[in-house]
Amino acid sequence: MSKRSRIFLGLLLIYAVGIAFVLYRVVSDLDPRYRESAEESLVETSQLLATLVEQEVRDGVIDTGPLEALFRAAYARTFDVQIFSVKKNRVELRAYVTDRRGTVVFDSTGQALGKDFSQWRDVRLALKGEYGARTTLDIAGDPNSAVMYVAAPIRWVGSTQGAGSGEIIGTLTVGKPVQSFGQFVVAARSRTLYVGFLSVLAVLVLAVTVSVWLVRPFGLISDYAHYVKTQQGFHPLRLLRRAWDLVRAAYDEMRDALAGRNYVADYVQTLTHEVKSPLSAIRGAAELLEEPMAEAQRQQFLGNIQRETQRIQEMVDRMMELTALETRRVLDQVQRVALRPLLEELVHASQGVAAQRRIRLSVQAQADATVEADPFLLRRAVSNLLDNALDFSPEGGLIELGLRLDGRWACITVGDQGPGIPAYAQDKVFEKFYSLVRPHSRKKSTGLGLSFVKEIAALHRGRVELGNRPEAQGTGALAKLWLRLAPA
């Protein structure tokens, strides 16, 4: 095996280990986070039910009659709830009450009545007025039968004592099978692994691309020959520039292969961080839907779940688009594009979605600019800048789309009359996943649109800038897309 092949295989191994480590950390962190959330809910439930039982205490004697009626009715309820891929049709919450000696005087399952639970951690600590919790297997040796228990003390509140004080005369413990929320953990793990597998696939595609450049040195010549055949006429300057772009692209591919530039691992870590927030919102809404509630509240939580799911889907889709764009070194489809007709077309297309906003095109008299570009990508770049201006422009505001020439460069400008860019965000607007709150919806975008524009500008050997308007022109942001003019 050659030295080059060993280096290449070593880099692939580093990629694989890095992605595996990230996925392992993320997947292993899911179960503890779900357990913490479930335990927090059990704490509140135990305190609530303990308070309910305390209302029925007479002369230091616990009356569990109302609690028995409550659970008997709850277990008899029939419902059919679909929470994503998880179906729920029965109440799985359980509870038991012990007296001051730790003897069970009520058990919602009817299995532990009369037993001595004084040595169980939850009962023992709760009788001392401390926080008591435990996780116990219902069936020995079967981890899937684990149940989380949380206890609260039952106090006899005398007439001279305030709420939360008094003699501890028993405990109330609530329990929830881990398997009831373990299904959500399994679903979250599957989604995370799915993203990881997509990342591995992206790494393999990148590896194949780099290997082609390493083992096929004559690929440069064939690509350049194909480009020459597609040209009409002889343009020495254009041919030299294309040759330089191909050589530079090949150098970048080899440099990245030897340096181990790993876009995918970076994306997995960043995406995992960004996905945690909507996943937490989905988890919280799903857990609340397990409880009885009014239909209006249920629809509200279902709407929250749908919105957060759409946010994750949009984020993944945009990330995959950006990844595909970043792996390209040169433009495959290049043709001469007149900028003025392109901008006029975009203004016309945007009028329908620019609700209560105006878009005005301003072109210098001499700005009959033509560039060599990929028409589809160039249209996407300007559309993203327009969408950004629409998001931040106030109702009735004016969005100005301009075109001017500056030497050998054409400059496309997009200005709005919004609040502008805060000082703390001006050096972050092109970072992946960074986004400011939209004034109208109070929501953030995926934070990938401007990164997409930046990559398109780089592929066209141009640049993009985003800042605030000069003070003399009022408030608002001003974006500038610079493109090199095509030779005459």
Side-chain angles (χ1 to χ4, degrees):
M1 184 182 295
S2 66
K3 182 178 180 180
R4 183 175 60 186
S5 298
R6 288 196 299 270
I7 293 175
F8 191 65
L9 291 177
L11 291 173
L12 286 181
L13 180 61
I14 293 173
Y15 285 140
V17 171
I19 294 176
F21 175 74
V22 172
L23 288 177
Y24 171 77
R25 291 297 300 272
V26 172
V27 171
S28 62
D29 194 47
L30 287 174
D31 187 66
R33 299 291 80 79
Y34 272 86
R35 286 177 182 260
E36 290 172 357
S37 178
E39 183 174 351
E40 192 270 343
S41 298
L42 289 176
V43 169
E44 293 186 350
T45 305
S46 65
Q47 296 292 335
L48 180 65
L49 292 180
T51 303
L52 178 65
V53 172
E54 288 174 352
Q55 308 304 313
E56 304 299 326
V57 174
R58 297 292 182 271
D59 298 327
V61 178
I62 299 174
D63 180 8
T64 61
L67 199 61
E68 293 174 6
L70 174 65
F71 273 92
R72 186 165 54 249
Y75 288 158
R77 290 181 67 88
T78 58
F79 55 89
D80 188 5
V81 177
Q82 187 75 32
I83 308 172
F84 293 101
S85 59
V86 178
K87 190 172 184 179
K88 189 173 183 65
N89 51 28
R90 61 191 177 92
V91 175
E92 295 177 287
L93 189 73
R94 58 182 70 175
Y96 61 81
V97 177
T98 71
D99 59 19
R100 69 181 72 214
R101 294 186 301 273
T103 302
V104 178
V105 296
F106 165 75
D107 180 11
S108 64
T109 65
Q111 299 176 358
L113 192 63
K115 293 184 178 180
D116 182 9
F117 275 18
S118 60
Q119 296 306 311
W120 283 116
R121 187 175 184 274
D122 57 320
V123 175
R124 176 168 49 84
L125 293 178
L127 286 174
K128 297 178 181 179
E130 302 175 8
Y131 174 60
R134 64 183 170 96
T135 299
T136 307
L137 300 181
D138 267 358
I139 303 174
D142 183 6
N144 292 327
S145 67
V147 181
M148 293 179 62
Y149 294 98
V150 172
I154 299 175
R155 300 177 184 271
W156 179 22
V157 182
S159 59
T160 61
Q161 296 167 318
S165 61
E167 178 187 357
I168 296 177
I169 60 172
T171 66
L172 183 141
T173 297
V174 292
K176 191 173 184 64
V178 173
Q179 190 64 24
S180 66
F181 61 84
Q183 302 173 78
F184 297 104
V185 178
V186 172
R189 283 175 175 168
S190 299
R191 290 191 292 268
T192 304
L193 290 175
Y194 173 73
V195 174
F197 289 144
L198 286 181
S199 301
V200 171
L201 181 62
V203 171
L204 292 177
V205 171
L206 179 62
V208 170
T209 303
V210 174
S211 65
V212 168
W213 282 109
L214 291 174
V215 302
R216 190 172 60 88
F218 292 104
L220 276 172
I221 299 175
S222 63
D223 289 345
Y224 186 66
H226 175 73
Y227 174 78
V228 172
K229 289 179 182 179
T230 59
Q231 299 301 301
Q232 297 179 355
F234 181 70
H235 305 282
L237 184 60
R238 187 184 305 171
L239 295 177
L240 286 174
R241 187 163 58 246
R242 180 66 176 183
W244 171 249
D245 288 342
L246 289 173
V247 172
R248 188 177 59 181
Y251 171 76
D252 290 341
E253 293 283 1
M254 295 180 185
R255 179 196 61 191
D256 292 347
L258 296 177
R261 187 178 179 185
N262 192 349
Y263 291 108
V264 179
D266 176 63
Y267 278 157
V268 170
Q269 294 178 42
T270 308
L271 179 65
T272 300
H273 175 75
E274 293 297 323
V275 165
K276 277 187 176 181
S277 176
L279 275 181
S280 298
I282 291 172
R283 179 182 64 191
E287 290 174 352
L288 289 172
L289 285 172
E290 294 180 1
E291 305 297 330
M293 64 178 65
E295 183 60 26
Q297 286 182 307
R298 186 176 301 279
Q299 292 301 322
Q300 179 183 355
F301 288 127
L302 288 174
N304 291 342
I305 290 175
Q306 291 174 350
R307 284 192 298 272
E308 296 300 334
T309 303
Q310 179 62 30
R311 178 183 169 189
I312 294 175
Q313 184 64 54
E314 183 180 358
M315 194 179 300
V316 172
D317 292 343
R318 294 299 296 270
M319 187 200 73
M320 296 306 295
E321 277 189 341
L322 187 58
T323 303
L325 192 64
E326 287 183 333
T327 57
R328 296 171 63 175
R329 295 297 182 187
V330 293
L331 295 170
D332 299 326
Q333 302 293 331
V334 178
Q335 62 188 65
R336 295 175 70 86
V337 178
L339 293 181
R340 182 166 188 162
L342 175 66
L343 299 182
E344 291 173 346
E345 176 188 341
L346 287 174
V347 170
H348 179 73
S350 299
Q351 292 291 355
V353 296
Q356 299 181 1
R357 295 167 183 80
R358 295 169 295 141
I359 301 179
R360 183 174 68 191
L361 179 61
S362 174
V363 180
Q364 286 184 352
Q366 73 276 20
D368 187 14
T370 301
V371 297
E372 288 187 340
D374 182 320
F376 175 76
L377 290 180
L378 188 55
R379 188 178 292 105
R380 286 288 302 275
V382 181
S383 293
N384 278 352
L385 295 178
L386 269 175
D387 291 342
N388 204 55
L390 287 169
D391 285 345
F392 286 94
S393 182
E395 292 186 3
L398 174 65
I399 297 167
E400 296 180 285
L401 180 62
L403 174 63
R404 61 184 175 85
L405 302 183
D406 187 356
R408 298 172 57 190
W409 294 87
C411 180
I412 299 173
T413 59
V414 182
D416 61 60
Q417 295 178 335
I421 303 173
Y424 64 83
Q426 291 184 2
D427 58 343
K428 301 177 182 179
V429 290
F430 291 105
E431 292 181 4
K432 299 180 185 69
F433 298 108
Y434 186 82
S435 177
L436 294 171
V437 174
R438 270 49 182 168
H440 307 287
S441 64
R442 309 308 301 172
K443 301 288 186 181
K444 292 185 178 182
S445 67
T446 60
L448 295 173
L450 290 177
S451 296
F452 197 72
V453 176
K454 183 179 179 181
E455 290 298 327
I456 293 176
L459 279 174
H460 288 81
R461 296 178 291 111
R463 68 184 187 276
V464 62
E465 303 168 359
L466 182 60
N468 289 324
R469 288 173 174 265
E471 292 185 5
Q473 299 181 13
T475 61
L478 180 64
K480 298 178 181 180
L481 177 62
W482 296 87
L483 299 169
R484 190 182 297 272
L485 293 171

